[in-house]
Amino acid sequence: MTNQSLHQYRNFNVLYAGMLIMTMASQIYSFVLPLFIYEWSQSALAMSTMRVMDFAPNVLLGMLAGAVVDRMNRRKMMMWASGIQAVLATILVVLIWLNTLHLWQLYLFGFMLSTVSYTFFNAKNAIVPQLFPRERLTDIQAQFSMLGTVFSVIGPSIAGFLIIWLAYEWLFIIYALCLCLVWGIVFLLDPVPSPESESTQNIWQDMKEGVSELFGNKTLLTPTLAILFINFATSLVIGVLIFYVVDQLGATSKEVGWMFSISAIGGIAGAKGIKLLRKKWTRGAIFYAMLCVDTIILGLFFFAVNWWQLAILLAFRAFTTVNVNIIYLAIRQESTPNHLLGRVAGTSSMLMKLMLPLGLLVSGLWAEYLPIPYIFLISSTIIAFLAIGLSKSSFRTTP
């Protein structure tokens, strides 16, 4: 069965189609929104604040969402989450079209869209072990990572091209239509049993159980804490990157699209190359090596003087990031009991993203008053210290 093509599983094809459209929609949304806010406000702080609204639900509601996912049928949860997301996106389109949208409303919609999107992906990750054999989980994560990186090439490229011909309103309409399609596709998944749970437990006890499972799993806890600091370093970069490229390097919207398109080639290489790396090294060793490479790449950001140099560096960073994510998600799914997977995923995601909003706000304030390139050196230093810490950890030998 392990040699069977994943596309011979009907549920995989359905889930793959849904993730394909969802990823495409997310790429368009992520590309257009910062440019929309920049044109509106001309402020790096406003762009960083919107990023905070995107990440805040993971920190504030991650544990609660995980507990809810473990109490409800994962398929039904995906239906509800995708449906609500489609409705919110439609309302946002109407407000933009009527020219009645205010910045604080955009922040609110960003927060709500991120909340239901996070819940949807939590349920998706939890349903995968219910639909497929355990030995296929790493392959499935690699496929979804490949999907994400391929569409991170196609998404910004298409959005960058469309933005030349279409107004922002039409791109938001495309985003809303994609979410409606995802809602319909979820209905095609096979029904799955609801998670087993203690009926006498309240929601707080459920969340406590998820925390205990995560902190009791030393194999999972170490990379979770590592990614917490990786995400903080990353947030310092992503909070100012588009503003830096557009405002200070003078790149056009089309060049920004090309930058992300080129960078995603590294992500594709990472998703394709994980099997080759696994033949030579353990997953822990690969994780550590990616941090060492990342340290060098972020340091080189300081010396980039145009968009195409950043594009090349981002491609190398996409390679390391995809490998780290594939390894982490596979370990989490393999080492966690399925009835606790939603809570462990919610708790670990909350913990990993705990410092993201702080990093985004710091980077936004930094860009307002200080030279941006120096924040790339700070990010590189954080990853360097993390690599030094992991060099003596037993996680490096994790198979």
Side-chain angles (χ1 to χ4, degrees), residues 23 27 67 107 120 139 142 180 217 221 227 254 263 283 286 289 309 331 336 341-342 348 391:
T23 304
Q27 287 298 325
Y107 292 154
F120 176 86
D139 291 339
C180 292
N217 187 343
L221 182 62
I227 293 177
K254 187 176 181 180
S263 70
R283 289 188 290 197
I286 296 170
Q309 290 176 345
I331 289 175
T336 306
L341 190 53
S348 60
S391 65

Side-chain angles (χ1 to χ4, degrees), residues 19 70 306:
M19 291 304 99
D70 279 344
N306 52 53

Side-chain angles (χ1 to χ4, degrees), residues 15 18-27 58 65-66 69 74 77-79 81-82 85 113-129 141 144 147-148 175 179 182 186 329 332-333 341-342 345-346 349 353:
L15 198 59
M19 291 304 99
L20 184 152
I21 298 172
M22 178 68 83
T23 304
M24 182 64 184
S26 298
Q27 287 298 325
N58 290 2
V69 167
R74 276 77 183 262
M77 177 62 77
M78 292 174 69
M79 293 175 184
S82 57
Q85 197 174 6
L113 282 166
S114 181
T115 298
V116 290
S117 176
Y118 170 75
T119 304
F120 176 86
F121 279 101
N122 191 316
K124 188 271 290 184
N125 287 328
I127 203 176
V128 166
Q141 290 303 333
F144 284 131
L147 178 67
Y175 170 65
L179 294 178
V182 172
V186 171
L329 291 173
R332 187 170 69 185
Q333 287 183 332
L341 190 53
S349 181
K353 293 179 173 64

Side-chain angles (χ1 to χ4, degrees), residues 29-54 92 96 101-111 163 168 172 239 242-243 246 253 368:
Y29 177 78
S30 298
F31 179 84
V32 173
L33 191 61
L35 296 174
F36 181 66
I37 293 176
Y38 175 76
E39 185 176 291
W40 198 354
S41 66
Q42 303 288 312
S43 169
L45 183 58
M47 296 170 72
S48 294
T49 302
M50 191 65 223
R51 289 284 190 178
V52 171
M53 293 299 102
D54 285 339
L92 177 61
I96 294 174
L101 183 68
H102 300 284
L103 189 58
W104 70 266
Q105 293 173 323
L106 192 58
Y107 292 154
L108 179 61
F109 273 98
F111 181 88
I163 207 169
Y168 290 114
F172 281 112
I242 292 181
F243 177 83
V246 174
S253 297
E368 292 284 330

Side-chain angles (χ1 to χ4, degrees), residues 103-385:
L103 189 58
W104 70 266
Q105 293 173 323
L106 192 58
Y107 292 154
L108 179 61
F109 273 98
F111 181 88
M112 292 190 295
L113 282 166
S114 181
T115 298
V116 290
S117 176
Y118 170 75
T119 304
F120 176 86
F121 279 101
N122 191 316
K124 188 271 290 184
N125 287 328
I127 203 176
V128 166
Q130 292 183 290
L131 295 173
F132 309 104
R134 179 179 178 181
E135 62 270 15
R136 304 310 305 270
L137 296 183
T138 299
D139 291 339
I140 289 171
Q141 290 303 333
Q143 286 289 326
F144 284 131
S145 294
M146 168 67 97
L147 178 67
T149 51
V150 167
F151 273 85
S152 66
V153 174
I154 298 174
S157 297
I158 293 177
F161 176 77
L162 290 177
I163 207 169
I164 299 173
W165 307 101
L166 300 175
Y168 290 114
E169 292 89 338
W170 287 103
L171 292 176
F172 281 112
I173 288 174
I174 293 173
Y175 170 65
L177 290 174
C178 287
L179 294 178
C180 292
L181 284 174
V182 172
W183 176 73
I185 288 173
V186 171
F187 283 83
L188 301 177
L189 285 172
D190 287 343
V192 295
S194 298
E196 298 176 2
S197 63
E198 294 291 337
S199 59
T200 57
Q201 286 192 167
N202 58 40
I203 197 76
W204 299 109
Q205 291 171 323
D206 282 351
M207 288 191 286
K208 182 179 179 181
E209 191 176 10
V211 173
S212 298
E213 175 65 27
L214 173 61
F215 280 84
N217 187 343
K218 301 304 179 183
T219 301
L220 185 61
L221 182 62
T222 298
T224 299
L225 295 175
I227 293 177
L228 183 152
F229 291 100
I230 294 172
N231 283 344
F232 177 69
T234 299
S235 68
L236 294 176
V237 175
I238 64 176
V240 298
L241 185 59
I242 292 181
F243 177 83
Y244 178 62
V245 173
V246 174
D247 189 77
Q248 298 189 20
L249 299 187
T252 65
S253 297
K254 187 176 181 180
E255 287 171 339
V256 172
W258 277 111
M259 182 181 74
F260 285 108
S261 298
I262 293 170
S263 70
I265 294 173
I268 296 172
K272 282 288 189 181
I274 187 67
K275 285 188 176 181
L276 294 176
L277 293 175
R278 287 282 288 119
K279 291 179 179 178
K280 295 185 177 182
W281 295 292
T282 64
R283 289 188 290 197
I286 296 170
F287 192 101
Y288 169 73
M290 294 301 106
L291 294 188
C292 294
V293 174
D294 216 17
T295 299
I296 298 172
I297 295 168
L298 287 170
L300 292 175
F301 270 51
F302 178 83
F303 301 99
V305 295
N306 52 53
W307 69 267
W308 63 264
Q309 290 176 345
L310 282 172
I312 294 171
L313 293 173
L314 284 169
F316 282 102
R317 186 141 204 269
F319 179 90
T320 63
T321 301
V322 165
N323 276 280
V324 166
N325 288 341
I326 290 173
I327 289 168
Y328 180 78
L329 291 173
I331 289 175
R332 187 170 69 185
Q333 287 183 332
E334 290 174 8
S335 63
T336 306
N338 187 261
H339 72 283
L340 292 169
L341 190 53
R343 280 166 283 178
V344 170
T347 304
S348 60
S349 181
M350 182 207 70
L351 188 60
M352 290 187 297
K353 293 179 173 64
L354 195 60
M355 297 178 72
L356 270 172
L358 174 63
L360 291 169
L361 287 175
V362 167
S363 64
L365 290 170
W366 183 289
E368 292 284 330
Y369 303 107
L370 298 169
I372 290 178
Y374 288 96
I375 208 165
F376 302 145
L377 292 181
I378 295 173
S379 182
S380 175
T381 302
I382 293 171
I383 301 296
F385 277 112

